[in-house]
Amino acid sequence: MTAIGFVTRTIHGGFSGELKLLPICTHIDIVPNRDKSGDMPSDFRIFTEGLEVGSGRILCGDGRATDYVSLSLAAPGLGGRKLYANLGRGGGLRGERGFFLV
């Protein structure tokens, strides 16, 4: 699978890093949704340059031993389409805090 970005876990429980696609190369912040109430709203909100461009949910997939974060992004540079990605371990990059967007 091709990685479209890389983030590291922040001390506040979110993630910070880069989203890199052909039309887009920008810094993103994935922050915990402190206003969450109930099960439906997202667990994370995704921002770039002060604009909210997506959300993330903590999911538990079939056959997985641990939870993972599923992301949904939408931005004008993506041609009006939504981009879906998951956070995957960075394989030793930046220690236990590193994750790829795949």
Side-chain angles (χ1 to χ4, degrees):
M1 225 178 251
T2 303
I4 58 170
F6 184 79
V7 295
T8 54
R9 187 178 299 274
T10 66
I11 61 172
H12 303 290
F15 303 86
S16 183
E18 298 291 319
L19 174 65
K20 295 182 180 183
L21 297 170
L22 288 177
I24 299 171
C25 183
T26 188
H27 180 85
I28 60 170
D29 290 303
I30 305 169
V31 298
N33 184 0
R34 303 278 186 226
D35 298 327
K36 179 179 175 169
S37 61
D39 289 336
M40 292 307 293
S42 60
D43 297 301
F44 294 95
R45 298 169 68 191
I46 305 170
F47 294 92
T48 183
E49 298 178 15
L51 291 170
E52 187 168 0
V53 295
S55 62
R57 295 200 56 156
I58 299 172
L59 301 175
C60 183
D62 295 336
R64 286 184 177 229
T66 60
D67 294 342
Y68 68 99
V69 178
S70 176
L71 306 174
S72 172
L73 299 121
L78 297 174
R81 294 183 219 142
K82 279 193 175 182
L83 172 70
Y84 298 97
N86 294 326
L87 291 184
R89 284 271 175 215
L93 295 175
R94 299 188 190 176
E96 291 293 312
R97 295 177 34 205
F99 294 83
F100 284 111
L101 277 74
V102 293

